Amino acid sequence: MKYIFVTGGVVSSLGKGLTAASIGTLLECSGLRVAFKKFDPYLNVDPGTMSPFQHGEVYVLDDGAETDLDLGHYERFTHAKLTKLSSGSSGQIYETILRRERAGDYLGQTVQVIPHVTDEIRCRFATSDTDADVTIIELGGTVGDMEGMPFLEAMRQFALEIGKNNTLFVHVVLLPYVRTADEIKTKPAQQSVALLLGLGIYPDILMCRTERKMTNEIRAKLSLFCNVPIRGVVEELDVESIYEVPTMLHDEGVHHIVLEHFGMASKNCDLSPWTNVLQKIRAPKKCVHIALVGKYVEHKDAYKSVHEALAHGAIANGFALEVVRIDGEMAEQEDIRGLLQECSGVIVPGGFGNRGIEGMLRAIRYVREQRLPFLGICLGMQLAVIEFARNVATLRAANSTEFDETTPHPVISLLDEQRRVVDKGGTMRLGSYECRVLPHTHLHQAYSQEFIHERHRHRYEFNGAYRDILMANGLCISGTHESGLVEAIELLQHPWFVGIQAHPEFKSKPHMAHPLFREFIRAAIRIKQV
Ligand code: GLN
């Protein structure tokens, strides 16, 4: 097993996750199997309890793990199998150690960061995916952060233990462009590498994030002062589409450097699925405008996978995509027709709490009545049910008990098992569940399958007590779990109106758009052409 460690320096938000994912793409396209791990130095046990405003989206895996959004990049860029063991945090590591300490398992020892915390981290580095050839391990945060130190120390020890030719260090840095000097600057990168060298970590690849091309002089300077061979100084330019990163790193020969370092024979790297995607992105027929009406719209990363899945849907239809982000609270106040004027479809994504809910309901009513394509995801589906109950089934005060505990018509409510839940962390309905799809529905037309599997992350459910009355009024229940839980609803007399309780956005890939997103975008394009 070979290991690649990816760290970041200078500033955060450099796209370390994308870089790690793209290295994975190159190795996979060279015929290797890759595995991924992401470690975050914060003390939360997982990001499940963190606000999307601060931390961006919580990405959910099949096994129900609530993880960092970088795992979404890994899944979109490769076929790696990710599980609960693919991510970790300081909180998780300390939780394990403290539990062990209370159980008396340390047999009288003083429990310390070194060796106990670093040993636990090293254990978690060692991969569980025994079929993989290479495991790529990304460390969140920036080198120099105090809380990241135990992870860097664990990396150094790990590399010493398994040998230099089995580990490769990639350090991602920013080369800022200083306009007044008309120059890109290398000093912050040098200082960041100096920190790493001081910790006993010698980067093999320096991934240089830059908005301008690097001259040979800059490359030579970085090589000399950062102690990285000149081939290992890699340019990672700002790009229009994130899906250009693998081809860009390919042109810089990153896969050759990695394979040579590991003593693996150089293989032909076939990036054709990626170049096909890029061709489609670069030559769209036209542009489709989709409104995203939600709670966290001003935070770019809060609906990361939804944005990506919409983009994949547009790529599959040969169109460019413009997402019009509309805050739910704004939709409460403003003229909804005016807000949605340019858009040929509306998506209401997941969310928690009642902020902006009435605005989202107004948008849903508008698209139902105006016959514009609609995709409701999780909260979006629950709101579509509420809107239908209120305005079609005339249950005027219908609501979810999440927003009004005393509603006379709780069309969305908690199951008993959720009522008993006390802790907030890790206690939602999480992970992949099977759903049976009703034939002759939009859902069936999209998936062409009787049984589908999608990932969940919610507490509230469609209340079965309202099933008959809503169906009698024309609501179609197009997907159900074997327990009888409603998984998807739609309006058959509408050009395209689908709500799904799960999060299909987590399973979309650029060259394999998720069928629901592909069909939603197709319906939106069709509406525009009519
Ligand atoms: N707040 C809703 C629930 O908990 C929806 C959650 C979501 O959209 N992910 O059921």
Side-chain angles (χ1 to χ4, degrees):
M1 176 68 68
K2 311 287 181 187
Y3 293 86
I4 299 178
F5 288 103
V6 181
T7 54
V10 184
V11 291
S12 59
S13 306
L14 283 181
K16 267 192 320 260
L18 280 171
T19 304
S22 302
I23 295 173
T25 306
L26 293 186
L27 298 183
E28 210 173 79
C29 290
S30 305
L32 297 174
R33 266 197 67 158
V34 290
F36 284 94
K37 286 181 184 244
K38 166 89 198 264
F39 288 89
D40 279 299
Y42 49 66
L43 288 176
N44 301 64
V45 172
D46 63 40
T49 53
M50 287 156 91
S51 163
F53 283 122
Q54 276 189 27
H55 189 256
E57 142 186 299
V58 175
Y59 189 80
V60 183
L61 303 180
D62 275 339
D63 67 1
E66 296 177 276
T67 71
D68 185 81
L69 54 78
D70 278 327
L71 277 83
H73 294 311
Y74 308 158
E75 285 205 325
R76 284 186 283 272
F77 279 69
T78 69
H79 296 89
K81 294 268 164 290
L82 304 185
T83 68
K84 282 194 163 76
L85 300 175
S86 312
S87 75
S89 67
S90 295
Q92 225 174 68
I93 287 154
Y94 279 93
E95 193 190 37
T96 308
I97 291 173
L98 293 178
R99 217 183 290 126
R100 223 178 267 153
E101 187 275 334
R102 290 290 83 183
D105 291 352
Y106 289 105
L107 307 174
Q109 289 176 60
T110 308
V111 183
Q112 293 181 300
V113 172
I114 300 171
H116 300 101
V117 173
T118 44
D119 280 357
E120 180 60 28
I121 298 172
R122 279 163 55 185
C123 264
R124 289 172 189 240
F125 284 163
T127 193
S128 36
D129 185 350
T130 43
D131 295 337
D133 303 297
V134 181
T135 299
I136 301 174
I137 302 178
E138 179 191 346
L139 177 63
T142 307
V143 167
D145 296 346
M146 196 182 279
E147 53 187 13
M149 288 301 184
F151 290 92
L152 294 167
E153 170 61 10
M155 284 180 188
R156 183 194 67 77
Q157 294 179 6
F158 190 84
L160 182 72
E161 185 189 333
I162 69 163
K164 270 196 168 27
N165 50 358
N166 292 320
T167 41
L168 179 129
F169 286 96
V170 177
H171 190 51
V172 187
V173 290
L174 175 73
L175 302 187
Y177 169 71
V178 177
R179 189 152 301 150
T180 46
D182 189 23
E183 258 181 61
I184 50 176
K185 292 291 184 185
T186 62
K187 187 74 80 192
Q190 292 179 42
Q191 288 177 339
S192 178
V193 173
L195 275 175
L196 266 187
L197 297 178
L199 297 168
I201 293 175
Y202 293 73
D204 301 289
I205 294 181
L206 191 66
M207 212 47 102
C208 302
R209 294 284 296 102
T210 165
E211 59 180 275
R212 312 244 158 163
K213 285 192 88 52
M214 298 192 294
T215 57
N216 287 340
E217 231 181 315
I218 297 260
R219 283 186 197 250
K221 189 170 169 184
L222 281 166
S223 165
L224 187 64
F225 294 130
C226 296
N227 198 45
V228 176
I230 188 101
R231 287 177 70 206
V233 178
V234 171
E235 177 178 270
E236 195 179 340
L237 274 171
D238 291 351
V239 277
E240 291 270 310
S241 160
I242 56 171
Y243 300 118
E244 290 176 42
V245 180
T247 46
M248 183 168 61
L249 297 189
H250 176 269
D251 295 345
E252 288 279 299
V254 169
H255 52 306
H256 289 308
I257 304 175
V258 174
L259 293 175
E260 266 173 44
H261 180 93
F262 288 147
M264 292 169 156
S266 216
K267 295 184 185 133
N268 179 29
C269 180
D270 176 17
L271 276 178
S272 51
W274 294 86
T275 44
N276 290 344
V277 166
L278 290 180
Q279 262 169 14
K280 286 199 184 149
I281 293 176
R282 286 176 188 144
K285 290 180 213 150
K286 270 186 192 162
C287 182
V288 58
H289 289 72
I290 300 293
L292 173 77
V293 189
K295 176 173 172 183
Y296 317 106
V297 289
E298 79 263 34
H299 192 300
K300 214 172 101 251
D301 281 345
Y303 298 119
K304 185 91 204 156
S305 296
V306 170
H307 279 283
E308 292 307 316
L310 284 171
H312 306 160
I315 293 170
N317 284 286
F319 266 62
L321 170 76
E322 187 77 50
V323 177
V324 181
R325 294 186 279 168
I326 300 175
D327 185 276
E329 277 183 317
M330 191 160 88
E332 280 173 3
Q333 310 298 334
E334 294 194 24
D335 163 39
I336 202 79
R337 177 181 295 272
L339 280 177
L340 298 177
Q341 204 172 11
E342 287 171 276
C343 301
S344 9
V346 168
I347 182 161
V348 176
F352 296 83
N354 59 6
R355 202 195 307 173
I357 288 297
E358 293 301 325
M360 297 174 216
L361 286 167
R362 286 182 79 204
I364 296 172
R365 178 173 196 166
Y366 180 81
V367 293
R368 181 178 54 76
E369 292 178 346
Q370 300 303 314
R371 304 175 58 75
L372 282 180
F374 167 75
L375 178 57
I377 292 178
C378 205
L379 176 72
M381 171 195 123
Q382 297 175 355
L383 293 178
V385 173
I386 296 169
E387 193 280 323
F388 187 88
R390 287 184 187 178
N391 301 320
V392 181
T394 62
L395 305 170
R396 294 283 174 223
N399 216 332
S400 162
T401 53
E402 179 177 8
F403 317 127
D404 177 4
E405 278 190 59
T406 58
T407 171
H409 297 299
V411 289
I412 305 291
S413 63
L414 290 179
L415 295 179
D416 283 346
E417 62 194 46
Q418 277 295 335
R419 286 206 183 98
R420 289 192 289 271
V421 163
V422 182
D423 284 348
K424 291 270 182 282
T427 54
M428 284 188 249
R429 181 178 169 206
L430 289 167
S432 185
Y433 284 82
E434 187 174 74
C435 159
R436 185 187 208 123
V437 181
L438 192 72
H440 312 300
T441 56
H442 293 303
L443 198 68
H444 194 275
Q445 188 263 332
Y447 283 91
S448 308
Q449 271 170 8
E450 189 184 353
F451 291 101
I452 59 171
H453 298 84
E454 295 291 358
R455 300 175 187 175
H456 289 246
R457 182 171 184 261
H458 57 102
R459 285 190 205 285
Y460 294 80
E461 304 279 355
F462 183 109
N463 181 349
Y466 287 88
R467 196 184 173 112
D468 292 346
I469 179 161
L470 295 179
M471 282 175 78
N473 278 277
L475 188 77
C476 167
I477 293 179
S478 52
T480 15
H481 181 250
E482 59 176 3
S483 64
L485 281 178
V486 171
E487 294 280 5
I489 57 106
E490 58 186 78
L491 299 178
L492 293 180
Q493 303 313 321
H494 188 285
W496 210 91
F497 189 105
V498 175
I500 180 157
Q501 185 58 81
H503 289 273
E505 69 272 25
F506 294 142
K507 286 173 75 170
S508 189
K509 290 184 193 263
H511 42 268
M512 227 189 295
H514 188 285
L516 271 187
F517 283 86
R518 186 193 66 221
E519 292 309 304
F520 167 58
I521 297 281
R522 176 168 305 170
I525 292 167
R526 221 182 286 135
I527 287 285
K528 204 170 190 178
Q529 285 165 347
V530 168

